[in-house]
Amino acid sequence: MIHKQVCLIIEGDFFLNYHEAERKIKDIISQKNSSVLSDVIDFLFDNFDHYSWIGIYVVRGNDLILGPWRGPQATDHTKITVGKGICGSAAATGKTEVIDDVSSDDRYLSCFISTKSEIVVPIKKRNSVIAEIDIDSDKKNAFTKDDKKFLEKIADMLSKHI
Ligand code: SME
């Protein structure tokens, strides 16, 4: 019985985290500051331990150009051709990429030796990819279905601010 109660509390907490975060991000976006993208990145970085590096790439012609980012180090990959790497693949297909173990994906362009898994979520306007959220994690298998669902909602909200 005690066991069951503990599980419910943990589940409730988990659900609230993503839900609460979504609500708070809506608030950040509604403030319409010129720094919406950086503010959202800061919020994600400060509130989710498994998000070790976060950046937004913006599509410019056939390239992805790194915009605001947050993490312990800068990346050398500030420009990625659409179709190359995990980022370029997500931009080409318009589909979220979840890579549980970056070392087993031939497309992976390495930025940090600490990275073990990655998620790339396209930001779309009228069905075209205009930007994307790229998150690296220092943990393997870091990104769950909840992360994917949550970040796809955030990508949707950010679409008007690119
Ligand atoms: N790993 C990405 C490149 C961007 S860095 O993670 C910041 C890729 O394979 O496209």
Side-chain angles (χ1 to χ4, degrees):
M1 192 60 192
I2 289 170
H3 223 66
K4 202 172 174 187
Q5 277 175 348
V6 169
C7 285
L8 284 173
I9 290 164
I10 291 169
E11 263 181 33
D13 207 29
F14 180 75
F15 177 72
L16 243 188
N17 272 337
Y18 286 94
H19 229 64
E20 269 293 290
E22 198 185 315
R23 202 179 56 71
K24 288 189 173 155
I25 288 171
K26 261 186 200 150
D27 286 348
I28 293 171
I29 292 174
S30 71
Q31 285 159 18
K32 292 196 175 108
N33 289 336
S34 52
S35 54
V36 162
L37 298 182
S38 317
D39 293 348
V40 170
I41 288 175
D42 284 343
F43 178 86
L44 292 172
F45 188 81
D46 292 338
N47 287 281
F48 292 89
D49 273 356
H50 58 304
Y51 297 178
S52 309
W53 187 95
I54 308 176
I56 291 188
Y57 284 91
V58 179
V59 176
R60 292 270 176 271
N62 202 37
D63 293 314
L64 291 160
I65 307 294
L66 183 62
W69 63 272
R70 177 93 188 267
Q73 275 172 270
T75 173
D76 287 339
H77 294 293
T78 54
K79 184 174 167 183
I80 299 171
T81 307
V82 171
K84 302 277 178 207
I86 311 298
C87 288
S89 297
T93 62
K95 294 210 169 89
T96 297
E97 292 278 354
V98 180
I99 312 300
D100 291 334
D101 176 2
V102 292
S103 70
S104 64
D105 195 311
D106 292 343
R107 299 168 302 169
Y108 177 65
L109 300 171
S110 173
C111 288
F112 317 109
I113 46 166
S114 55
T115 299
K116 301 279 189 295
S117 58
E118 182 168 12
I119 188 167
V120 183
V121 184
I123 300 174
K124 297 182 205 171
K125 202 175 262 175
R126 283 181 234 102
N127 264 332
S128 301
V129 178
I130 55 166
E132 56 190 31
I133 305 169
D134 176 25
I135 307 182
D136 284 23
S137 181
D138 294 348
K139 290 181 199 145
K140 255 190 202 174
N141 304 302
F143 302 103
T144 63
K145 282 189 180 126
D146 293 293
D147 288 290
K148 181 174 181 281
K149 207 167 134 190
F150 166 65
L151 291 166
E152 285 176 347
K153 281 187 191 162
I154 307 308
D156 225 38
M157 291 186 222
L158 289 179
S159 151
K160 291 185 204 81
H161 300 272
I162 302 294

